[in-house]
Amino acid sequence: MKHLSPILKGLKRAALVVAVLTGMAACRIDRLWDKDFMFETVEPQDGMFVYDCSSYTEWHFFSFAEGGVIGKCDAGDDAACDTWRKRTDWDLAFHRQNVKTNSGASGAGQGGILKYGQAVFDFDAVTEAPEEGYMTDTPDSIVYDMSRMTVGDIGYIRTGLAQPVKDWATLTDMMNSVWTYLQAVFVVRTADGKYARIYLRNFKNDIGVSGTITMQYVYQADGTINLDIKQN
């Protein structure tokens, strides 16, 4: 059967190409390159949160009820972080692309988060919050000190993180600062047991500098699971 080897090799090559192209297509559906957002200007408005979270040393605490950040703390200050862990007036916290919910290892609230299952990404199609399936935060690590990065020494600290949303923004090309973003709807259970749906759109500002989060959200203030709310 040696005379069939070139044919078999060709078939294997073709299968490999198909597999690679299929994987690339799946990636394009599942993730979006930040070049699509590079110079997009999004103004803060109802249901759209735009905020500079570029600091490696700060957590920024967001409240759906207030529609914005209500405070911040040094991520390396154990006493300050412990004070925020005990508070129940915030729902999400942001440290660069890292996200907390007010739950588990991160807070004393009733929070949690889940990735909503969709065959095709559609933010407006999520009209009800699931009644179960929310994950609370677990211990993890974040980058805190980049001052010695040039010699390969990066400082990490332990903290709580929301695992379902951990890979929403991925640095795909460090040299060119290229990020990709997960195309998914996340449903948040807030600190007081209410619900919101969010879409983390990108991690760059309108001139292409990393560190600014743009989050689209719908918040249900009446405590029901109804998320079919039209924004202005």
Side-chain angles (χ1 to χ4, degrees):
M1 299 293 290
K2 289 183 179 180
H3 63 285
L4 294 178
S5 295
I7 297 174
L8 291 174
K9 288 180 180 178
L11 289 172
K12 288 181 179 179
R13 289 194 200 99
L16 179 60
V17 169
V18 170
V20 170
L21 291 175
T22 301
M24 291 173 64
C27 181
R28 284 194 293 269
I29 293 171
D30 187 51
R31 302 196 74 90
L32 199 63
W33 292 80
D34 70 6
K35 64 182 180 182
D36 297 307
F37 294 109
M38 188 75 77
F39 302 107
E40 180 182 21
T41 300
V42 179
E43 297 295 334
Q45 55 188 289
D46 287 347
M48 192 69 71
F49 172 68
V50 182
Y51 199 81
D52 182 356
C53 299
S54 58
S55 171
Y56 282 95
T57 62
E58 293 178 339
W59 278 106
H60 306 268
F61 295 87
F62 172 88
S63 163
F64 284 108
E66 296 296 327
V69 168
I70 61 171
K72 61 184 180 179
C73 75
D74 188 322
D77 185 333
D78 290 340
C81 289
D82 190 55
T83 297
W84 280 99
R85 275 193 294 269
K86 294 174 182 177
R87 292 176 57 163
T88 56
D89 57 347
W90 62 273
D91 303 305
L92 297 174
F94 301 96
H95 165 276
R96 293 190 59 79
Q97 78 273 26
N98 305 299
V99 182
K100 292 177 183 284
T101 66
N102 197 329
S103 70
S106 299
Q110 303 173 47
I113 193 168
L114 61 80
K115 178 183 175 184
Y116 196 90
Q118 287 181 304
V120 178
F121 169 74
D122 186 348
F123 183 70
D124 293 328
V126 182
T127 57
E128 283 192 350
E131 296 185 359
E132 56 185 23
Y134 298 87
M135 293 183 64
T136 57
D137 289 14
T138 57
D140 209 320
S141 298
I142 60 171
V143 176
Y144 179 75
D145 185 359
M146 293 286 283
S147 63
R148 293 174 52 83
M149 183 185 69
T150 55
V151 294
D153 184 6
I154 298 176
Y156 292 84
I157 57 173
R158 297 288 288 173
T159 187
L161 285 182
Q163 298 300 324
V165 72
K166 188 174 178 178
D167 67 341
W168 80 269
T170 300
L171 184 57
T172 307
D173 181 351
M174 181 178 293
M175 292 296 293
N176 297 300
S177 187
V178 176
W179 294 75
T180 60
Y181 309 105
L182 189 66
Q183 298 303 282
V185 181
F186 294 93
V187 181
V188 178
R189 187 174 61 208
T190 67
D192 57 358
K194 296 176 182 177
Y195 298 97
R197 57 179 159 100
I198 66 171
Y199 167 39
L200 294 162
R201 292 166 56 113
N202 68 306
F203 190 54
K204 283 190 173 180
N205 63 16
D206 57 357
I207 60 171
V209 178
S210 301
T212 295
I213 286 180
T214 299
M215 177 180 73
Q216 185 177 354
Y217 69 91
V218 168
Y219 168 59
Q220 178 53 271
D222 68 7
T224 68
I225 63 173
N226 174 38
L227 296 177
D228 190 13
I229 302 169
K230 304 302 180 185
Q231 301 287 0
N232 294 329

